[in-house]
Amino acid sequence: MDGAGLYAANAAGMWQAAGTPLPADPRYAGFTAYGAVRVVLRRPLGAPSIAGIVAALPAGRMTLEDPYGLAAPQQLPDVMVRRMPVMNRPPGPPPAGQRDGISVEPVTGPDTLATAERVIVDGFPYPHLQPWTAGRALTPRLLHAPGWRAWLARRDGAPAAAGYTFDDGTALGVYSLATLPEHRRAGLARALLTAMLAAHPRRTATLVATEAGRPLYAALGFVTVSTATWYFRAG
């Protein structure tokens, strides 16, 4: 497995750890998590199939990820569409990314998890999770989920950036890498991602990039393997 399929399998595993599965469907992996429906396509599908899946999902907030992006984006009622690159990085240690005053640590307890969660919610930001409430996005049970790990970066001792990873045994997925506005352009995202990669040097890494994050990922060896189409319904 490679390319977009690597990301699709990892994302499905990550949501399996974080949410509750929907009824099985061979076309996609579906879950309810954080009060919404999350769907990741298991394989490339044509436009009519994607439209049919969206129409059949429960009403309310929804995100459908098409990591393969081969079908033309669909204009569906009350659904927003966004295109973003899927980027993979081959195994191997990353270049040095640490700067003076910046520390990075894996999260090991509920208090630090809550701190990382707040940084992600406010730094990305995620409006549907605001005002922030501890455990709404990153429930403490994730601390015991195999393969799942949150990370927190501090700048001069203050929480400044956070994200989480999921190791499914084949690839390392990188998710919700966020920096608080007052700490941006200080090398925090690079230090955080470098620590994540250094902890899993034998894994291919995979992620979906925003345009703001794409230059950093490219500098650390990630290459674009597809352009994903994401479908959002606000609910």
Side-chain angles (χ1 to χ4, degrees), residues 208-232:
V208 171
T210 62
E211 284 304 316
R214 190 173 188 167
L216 168 64
Y217 304 138
L220 289 177
F222 285 83
V223 297
T224 299
V225 295
S226 69
T227 301
T229 305
W230 285 32
Y231 298 87
F232 302 92

Side-chain angles (χ1 to χ4, degrees), residues 102-162:
I102 295 176
S103 63
V104 180
E105 60 182 316
V107 169
T108 57
D111 290 343
T112 312
L113 180 66
T115 300
E117 178 188 27
R118 185 165 196 168
V119 170
I120 291 170
V121 170
D122 291 343
F124 210 80
Y126 286 124
H128 62 280
L129 294 173
Q130 294 173 337
W132 170 77
T133 301
R136 187 178 173 196
L138 302 183
T139 174
R141 68 178 175 80
L142 287 169
L143 292 170
H144 308 289
W148 192 93
R149 178 182 284 180
W151 298 79
L152 178 65
R154 300 179 188 270
R155 183 184 182 198
D156 297 328

Side-chain angles (χ1 to χ4, degrees), residues 27 39 132:
R27 299 171 299 173
V39 167
W132 170 77

